[in-house]
Amino acid sequence: MSYQNILCAVAEGIATVTVNRPDKLNALNRQTIAELTACFRDLAAADEVRVVLLTGAGEKAFVAGADIGELADLTASAAEALACGGQALMDLIENLGKPVIGVINGFALGGGCELAMACTFRYAADTARLGLPETGLGLIPGFGGTQRLPRLVGRGRAQELVLGGDMVPSEEAMAMGLVNKVFPASELMPAALKTAGRLAGKSRLTLGLALKAVGDGLQMTQAGGCRLEAALFGVAGASQDAREGCRAFLEKRKPEFQDS
Ligand code: COA
C-alpha cells in the first residue's frame, strides 16, 4: 500500500516504518494517524515481518506531537474522538504481537512521546528530547500518555513531567526508565537494526507469548499475571520450538526455529 505521510520498507524480516513529514517535525495529523493504523494492521498480519522499527524522517524529530494545527478549535466530542483514534493506534502498536522498537532520532513530544511509549522498548539518539508539553497548550496528553508514563517511570516523575511539560534529554530519559538505551545519533539506527536482527532470529511464537505475558500481565494482579504466565509457559513448553531450542543447547548447535 502507498502512503502520503509515512514510509514502510521490509527487509530480512524487519519492517521499518518512518513518519515522513519532516517539514512539520513529523507531527501526527489525522491522516498520519490513519496511515499508521492501516500500516500496523498490515504488519500485524504479515507473516514475513518479525520485528518492526518505528522512527521519524530527518535528523531533527522522531515525532513532535499531535498536529497542533488540528487542535485549536475542537469541540468536546471532536477532541474525545481524536484521543480515541490516537489511543487505538497506540493500543495496536503495544499489542501487535511482535516487537516494535521505537527508534527516537530527535524530538519525541506529546503524541510523539506517547507513540514511543507504546513501542515494546525504546532506543534514543543522544540528541533526542522527550516530553509531554500539552499543559503548555492548555491540554493534557490524550494518546495514553497519562497512563503509560507512570507505568514506565513511576507516579511522581510522571506527574512532574505531565504537569510541568518539560522536555528531558535522552540521557535523563534513560535514567528514569523512559528509554532503554542511548546512542550517538549516527549509531542509533545500526544499533536498532542489530537488536532487531537478533530478535528476528528467534521463534515468532515464543516472542509473541513473551510479549503477551508481560503486556497482559501488567493489566492484572500479580497472582493473575503469574497464572497467565503459567498457562503461556504451557503453550511454549509444548511447542516444537521449545524441543528444538533445548535440544540445540544440549547438542551444542544453533537452534532452527519453525515458529510453531
Ligand atoms: N504540530 C504542528 N506543527 C508542528 C509541530 C506540531 N506538534 N511541531 C512542530 N511543528 C512545525 C512548526 O510549526 C514549523 O512549521 P513551519 O515551518 O510551517 O512554521 C516546523 O514544524 C518546524 O518547527 P519549529 O517550531 O520551527 O522548530 P524549532 O526547532 O524552532 O522548535 C520544537 C522545535 C519541537 C521545540 C517546536 O517545534 C515545538 O515546540 N513543537 C510543538 C511541540 C508540542 O507542543 N507537541 C505537543 C503537541 S500536543
Side-chain angles (χ1 to χ4, degrees):
M1 196 185 285
S2 71
Y3 301 105
Q4 208 175 311
N5 295 337
I6 67 171
L7 305 168
C8 181
V10 181
E12 295 176 14
I14 302 167
T16 302
V17 179
T18 306
V19 182
N20 189 29
R21 299 181 76 209
D23 54 325
K24 293 291 175 195
L25 302 189
N26 304 320
L28 299 176
N29 59 5
R30 282 190 181 81
Q31 182 173 339
T32 308
I33 291 171
E35 290 184 6
L36 283 169
T37 303
C39 179
F40 273 95
R41 280 195 188 126
D42 285 351
L43 294 175
D47 280 349
E48 71 276 19
V49 174
R50 307 176 75 84
V51 184
V52 183
L53 302 182
L54 176 59
T55 193
E59 290 177 0
K60 207 166 160 181
F62 172 70
V63 167
D67 193 316
I68 298 171
E70 294 184 350
L71 302 178
D73 285 307
L74 291 171
T75 61
S77 61
E80 187 175 346
L82 184 68
C84 289
Q87 287 184 11
L89 169 62
M90 307 304 156
D91 290 347
L92 173 65
I93 292 171
E94 191 171 64
N95 300 304
L96 202 70
K98 28 188 117 173
V100 182
I101 306 176
V103 184
I104 306 170
N105 54 310
F107 289 113
L109 303 174
C113 188
E114 292 169 304
L115 188 63
M117 288 192 285
C119 294
T120 313
F121 55 85
R122 288 147 289 284
Y123 287 176
D126 54 1
T127 49
R129 291 163 74 81
L130 296 91
L132 294 172
E134 285 89 343
T135 56
L137 299 166
L139 292 166
I140 66 168
F143 293 173
T146 62
Q147 303 308 302
R148 288 194 178 88
L149 187 60
R151 284 170 169 79
L152 281 170
V153 307
R155 181 174 177 155
R157 286 199 185 95
Q159 293 287 38
E160 189 180 10
L161 285 174
V162 171
L163 271 60
D166 296 320
M167 296 181 212
V168 296
S170 48
E171 287 286 348
E172 195 178 328
M174 181 171 65
M176 69 174 78
L178 179 50
V179 304
N180 294 57
K181 289 182 179 162
V182 175
F183 299 91
S186 63
E187 292 170 26
L188 174 65
M189 188 49 90
L193 279 166
K194 192 172 167 198
T195 298
R198 269 198 331 110
L199 295 181
K202 292 182 187 282
S203 160
R204 199 173 47 210
L205 171 74
T206 310
L207 293 193
L209 293 171
L211 283 164
K212 192 171 175 57
V214 175
D216 290 7
L218 268 174
Q219 312 296 328
M220 301 176 179
T221 61
Q222 182 166 312
C226 284
R227 187 65 217 114
L228 172 70
E229 182 190 80
L232 296 174
F233 187 86
V235 178
S239 69
Q240 291 303 318
D241 285 341
R243 286 172 182 34
E244 166 62 9
C246 295
R247 268 187 204 131
F249 176 83
L250 296 171
E251 293 165 9
K252 301 189 187 311
R253 61 175 173 82
K254 278 186 79 171
E256 287 182 26
F257 294 123
Q258 304 297 323
D259 303 325
S260 61

